[in-house]
C-alpha cells in the first residue's frame, strides 16, 4: 500500500481513505471542510435541537450519562455539564501519543463530526481543521480507552481544542463517545505492517539466493495450483525479484526439497496478504462509520439510541492483521537459523570463515533474531475475547473492546518486525556473498548493493555488523526501497 501524498485533503464526513489519513498525519497535508459537510452538520444539529425542543429524552443531551442516565440535564446547565463531563473522563496518564497518531486521531474525529450524525455544530469541525492546518501540538495519552470509545484520550483532545468555548447540548458526548484514536492507530499500524510484508518478501527472495534454494515453488505451475490472490501476488513478486538469478539456471538450486521456511514462503506471505486485505476492508469502513450514541439520521430527521461505539469489528480486524505475521516472522527466524548452520547451508560455520580463534560468527545474530521474533509473536495474540464486566455504569457497560490496545500492539509489531526483516537482510547478504554464486536476481542484486552501502561483508576475524545503520538506511531511503518493492508489479 503506497502512501497517497496530497497537498489538500477535503473532508466530507463520508469518504475518508486510509491513504489520506497517512497524508495528513505523516506528510503534513492541509485539509479543508467540504461545503456539503458543513450543510450536513447544520442539518444534523437542527434535528437534534428540534428533538430537544419536543422534550425527547436524549442520552448525553437532555440526560446525564453512565450510572446517572436517569438524571435530567437542564438546558441552562448544558455548558457546565459539558465542561464537567470532559474533565470527569480526562483520566489518561502514561505515554503520550506520537505526533502522527495524534494528528490521525484529530482527523478521524473531524471526519466523524463532518458526517452530521453526531449533531455537533459546524464550528467544532472548523476548530479541528484550524488545529490540524496550524499543526497545533496536542498532548494525547495513549492509555485511557474506557473499553467502548477512547473517552479519556478524546477528553485530552477536546479539552485542548474546545476548553475556551461553551459546548451545546450533546456536543461533549459527541467528542468523547468516539474511537478516533483506536481507528487512527489501526490505520497507521496497518500501513506499516502492509509495507513490512512487501519488504519481507523482497528480503526473503535474497535469502533464497543465499541458501541456493529451489525456486520451483514460485513457478507458474506452482502458483496456479492454489488459486489464492495473496499467493499469486507474493509468489509472482519473488519470481520477479530473482529474475536473472543463478538459482533459475540448471545446477543453481542445491536441493529438490528445501526446508519449509524457504519452500512455503510465498504461501505464508500470501496468506498474510489475504488476511490484511480483510483487515483493510474493515478498517476502511470504520473510518467513515458512525461511532457515537445516539446517532442522528439526516434521512429520517430523527435520532436513535445505538451501540455504535462498540469496536468489536475493528478489534477483530486488528487481531486478524497481527496474527497474520506470526508465521511470517517465525519462518524468517528459521531461515536465519538455516543460513548460519553449516549443516543446512553448506557454508562456513556462523557464515564467517574460520581464522583459528573459534568465534561463532553470525550465530549470536540468529539467537538475537529468535529472541525478538518470540517477542513479536506475543504481540500477535488475539484480543477480541476480552473479559466482560458487569460492575460499571449500573451494569450497562457489561463488555469492552480492546481495539485501542490492538492498534498499539500493531504499531509495536511493525517496529519489531522491521528489525526482524533488517537482520534477515544482513544475514542473507552475508550468505549470498560467501557462497559466491552469480548473478543475483535483477532486483535482489539491487537489494544486495543497497545493503552493502552500510553493512560490509564480514571476513575472517571480523565481527558481524550491527543492524542499526541498516535500519537507519531503510528509514532514510524509503523511496529507493519502495522502488525495489514496486518492481514486482
Amino acid at each position: 500500500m503506497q502512501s497517497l501524498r496530497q497537498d489538500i485533503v477535503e473532508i466530507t464526513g463520508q469518504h475518508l481513505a486510509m491513504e489520506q489519513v497517512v497524508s495528513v498525519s505523516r506528510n503534513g497535508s492541509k485539509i479543508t471542510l467540504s461545503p456539503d459537510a458543513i450543510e450536513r452538520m447544520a442539518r444534523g444539529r437542527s434535528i437534534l435541537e428540534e428533538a430537544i425542543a419536543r422534550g425527547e429524552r436524549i442520552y448525553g443531551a437532555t440526560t446525564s450519562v453512565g450510572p446517572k442516565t436517569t438524571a435530567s440535564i437542564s438546558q441552562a446547565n448544558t455548558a457546565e455539564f459539558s465542561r464537567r463531563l470532559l474533565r470527569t473522563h480526562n483520566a489518561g496518564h502514561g505515554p503520550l501519543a506520537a505526533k502522527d497518531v495524534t494528528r490521525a486521531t484529530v482527523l478521524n474525529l473531524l471526519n466523524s463530526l463532518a458526517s452530521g450524525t453526531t449533531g455537533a455544530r459546524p464550528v467544532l469541525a472548523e476548530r479541528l481543521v484550524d488545529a490540524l492546518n496550524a499543526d497545533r501540538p496536542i498532548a494525547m495519552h495513549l492509555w485511557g480507552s474506557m473499553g467502548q470509545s477512547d473517552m479519556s484520550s478524546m477528553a485530552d483532545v477536546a479539552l485542548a481544542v474546545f476548553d475556551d468555548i461553551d459546548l451545546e447540548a450533546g456536543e461533549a458526548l459527541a467528542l468523547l463517545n468516539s474511537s478516533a484514536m483506536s481507528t487512527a492507530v489501526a490505520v497507521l499500524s496497518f500501513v506499516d505492517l502492509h509495507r513490512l510484508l512487501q519488504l519481507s518478501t523482497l528480503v526473503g527472495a535474497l535469502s533464497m539466493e543465499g541458501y541456493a534454494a529451489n525456486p520451483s515453488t514460485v513457478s507458474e505451475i506452482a502458483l496456479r495450483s492454489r488459486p489464492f490472490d495473496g499467493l499469486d501476488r507474493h509468489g509472482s513478486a519473488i519470481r520477479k525479484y530473482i529474475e536473472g538469478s543463478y538459482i533459475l539456471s540448471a545446477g543453481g538450486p542445491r536441493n529438490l526439497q528445501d526446508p519449509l521456511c524457504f519452500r512455503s514462503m510465498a504461501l505464508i506471505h500470501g496468506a498474510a496478504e489475504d488476511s490484511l486485505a480483510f483487515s483493510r476492508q474493515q478498517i476502511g469502513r470504520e473510518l467513515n462509520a458512525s461511532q457515537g450514541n445516539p446517532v442522528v439520521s439526516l434521512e429520517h430527521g430523527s435520532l436513535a439510541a445505538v451501540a455504535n461505539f462498540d469496536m468489536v469489528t475493528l478489534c477483530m480486524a486488528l487481531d486478524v492483521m497481527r496474527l497474520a505475521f506470526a508465521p511470517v516472522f517465525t519462518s524468517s527466524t528459521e531461515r536465519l537459523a538455516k543460513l548460519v548452520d553449516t549443516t543446512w547451508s553448506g557454508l562456513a560455520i556462523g557464515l564467517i570463515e574460520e581464522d583459528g580463534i573459534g568465534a561463532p560468527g553470525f550465530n549470536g545474530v540468529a539467537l538475537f533474531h529468535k529472541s525478538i521474533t518470540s517477542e513479536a509473536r506475543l504481540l500477535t495474540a488475539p484480543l477480541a475475547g476480552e473479559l466482560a464486566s458487569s460492575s460499571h455504569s449500573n451494569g450497562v457497560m457489561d463488555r469492552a473492546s480492546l481495539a485501542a490496545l490492538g492498534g498499539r500492539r500493531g504499531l509495536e509489531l511493525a517496529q519489531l518486525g522491521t528489525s526482524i526483516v533488517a537482520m534477515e537482510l544482513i544475514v542473507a547478504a552475508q550468505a549470498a556473498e560467501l557462497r559466491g554464486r552469480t548473478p543475483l536476481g535483477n532486483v535482489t542484486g539491487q537489494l544486495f548493493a543497497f545493503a552493502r552501502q552500510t553493512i560490509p561483508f564480514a571476513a575472517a576475524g571480523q565481527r558481524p555488523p550491527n543492524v542499526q545503520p541498516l535500519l537507519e538506511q531503510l528509514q532514510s531511503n524509503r523511496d529507493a526501497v519502495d522502488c525495489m518493492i514496486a518492481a514486482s508489479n
Side-chain angles (χ1 to χ4, degrees):
M1 174 180 174
Q2 298 294 317
S3 296
L4 180 63
R5 296 177 182 269
Q6 296 180 303
D7 292 332
I8 298 178
V9 173
E10 185 178 59
I11 300 302
T12 68
Q14 299 176 321
H15 307 104
L16 183 61
M18 295 174 69
E19 294 85 353
Q20 291 176 316
V21 175
V22 175
S23 186
V24 171
S25 64
R26 290 179 170 172
N27 301 331
S29 295
K30 302 294 185 181
I31 58 173
T32 185
L33 197 60
S34 75
D36 286 346
I38 296 173
E39 183 179 341
R40 276 195 305 276
M41 291 189 72
R43 172 63 177 148
R45 185 66 203 174
S46 176
I47 293 171
L48 176 59
E49 290 178 346
E50 289 168 5
I52 293 172
R54 289 193 300 268
E56 293 185 20
R57 289 182 59 78
I58 303 169
Y59 185 74
T62 64
T63 78
S64 185
V65 300
K68 290 191 175 183
T69 304
T70 57
S72 296
I73 304 300
S74 167
Q75 293 306 292
N77 295 330
T78 292
E80 182 59 25
F81 170 76
S82 298
R83 275 189 287 271
R84 294 187 186 185
L85 189 63
L86 295 181
R87 285 168 173 76
T88 298
H89 290 85
N90 190 220
H93 60 284
L96 293 174
K99 179 180 177 180
D100 60 343
V101 173
T102 302
R103 284 181 60 83
T105 299
V106 174
L107 180 68
N108 293 340
L109 176 61
L110 168 62
N111 191 64
S112 177
L113 298 184
S115 70
T117 61
T118 69
R121 291 169 294 157
V123 66
L124 270 63
E126 291 163 357
R127 279 218 165 197
L128 292 173
V129 169
D130 292 342
L132 284 168
N133 286 341
D135 200 18
R136 179 176 172 179
I138 297 174
M140 183 184 75
H141 294 88
L142 282 173
W143 296 353
S145 171
M146 302 299 188
Q148 302 291 12
S149 299
D150 304 321
M151 294 186 194
S152 186
S153 300
M154 301 315 299
D156 283 338
V157 174
L159 288 169
V161 180
F162 305 110
D163 196 37
D164 62 334
I165 65 172
D166 288 341
L167 297 177
E168 296 189 0
E171 290 183 330
L173 184 62
L175 297 173
L176 288 176
N177 207 4
S178 166
S179 295
M181 189 266 286
S182 293
T183 311
V185 292
V187 170
L188 297 178
S189 61
F190 173 88
V191 169
D192 290 347
L193 285 170
H194 187 262
R195 182 179 183 275
L196 181 62
L197 180 61
Q198 316 313 309
L199 179 60
S200 298
T201 296
L202 174 59
V203 171
L206 182 59
S207 288
M208 289 178 64
E209 292 177 311
Y211 192 78
N214 193 328
S216 65
T217 55
V218 295
S219 66
E220 187 173 351
I221 293 174
L223 300 184
R224 287 193 173 184
S225 67
R226 290 183 61 78
F228 291 93
D229 293 341
L231 170 61
D232 182 68
R233 175 171 180 169
H234 286 266
S236 298
I238 293 171
R239 199 165 66 213
K240 185 71 174 181
Y241 295 150
I242 63 174
E243 188 175 292
S245 173
Y246 79 90
I247 61 173
L248 293 170
S249 62
R254 293 187 300 123
N255 305 308
L256 177 63
Q257 299 282 313
D258 294 316
L260 287 174
C261 56
F262 292 98
R263 206 167 10 135
S264 297
M265 181 166 56
L267 289 161
I268 292 169
H269 291 202
E273 184 74 38
D274 290 337
S275 296
L276 264 63
F278 165 78
S279 298
R280 175 172 183 162
Q281 169 190 282
Q282 300 298 84
I283 297 169
R285 288 176 176 171
E286 189 62 57
L287 274 174
N288 297 287
S290 170
Q291 296 181 338
N293 173 44
V295 62
V296 178
S297 171
L298 304 185
E299 294 78 11
H300 297 89
S302 60
L303 292 83
V306 294
N308 290 351
F309 48 78
D310 194 318
M311 289 294 105
V312 62
T313 300
L314 184 61
C315 188
M316 286 188 173
L318 290 167
D319 281 354
V320 170
M321 178 187 75
R322 296 193 319 279
L323 189 58
F325 280 86
V328 171
F329 293 152
T330 299
S331 62
S332 174
T333 204
E334 284 300 318
R335 286 192 292 274
L336 254 73
K338 297 298 190 297
L339 285 170
V340 303
D341 189 333
T342 185
T343 304
W344 290 99
S345 69
L347 299 172
I349 297 174
L351 294 181
I352 296 180
E353 296 286 0
E354 180 57 51
D355 66 346
I357 301 299
F362 279 79
N363 281 283
V365 174
L367 289 172
F368 182 91
H369 190 269
K370 184 175 293 185
S371 172
I372 61 173
T373 296
S374 298
E375 184 175 344
R377 283 173 56 86
L378 293 175
L379 294 172
T380 68
L383 299 172
E386 85 295 338
L387 180 63
S389 170
S390 296
S391 63
H392 299 292
S393 300
N394 292 349
V396 173
M397 302 295 287
D398 57 1
R399 58 165 268 102
S401 161
L402 298 179
L405 177 59
R408 297 203 312 269
R409 285 189 175 180
L411 289 173
E412 189 175 351
L413 187 67
Q415 183 179 23
L416 270 176
T418 302
S419 289
I420 289 169
V421 173
M423 293 180 76
E424 180 178 350
L425 176 53
I426 288 177
V427 172
Q430 179 74 12
E433 187 162 356
L434 189 61
R435 194 171 296 282
R437 301 285 300 277
T438 57
L440 298 178
N442 294 338
V443 182
T444 50
Q446 296 176 39
L447 180 63
F448 175 85
F450 177 85
R452 282 288 174 259
Q453 293 176 22
T454 53
I455 302 297
F457 175 75
Q462 296 179 333
R463 55 158 289 176
N466 189 277
V467 71
Q468 188 59 41
L470 181 58
L471 287 170
E472 294 170 1
Q473 185 187 12
L474 288 168
Q475 177 60 34
S476 60
N477 293 273
R478 289 176 65 89
D479 290 344
V481 175
D482 287 342
C483 284
M484 287 185 277
I485 292 173
S488 64
N489 298 332

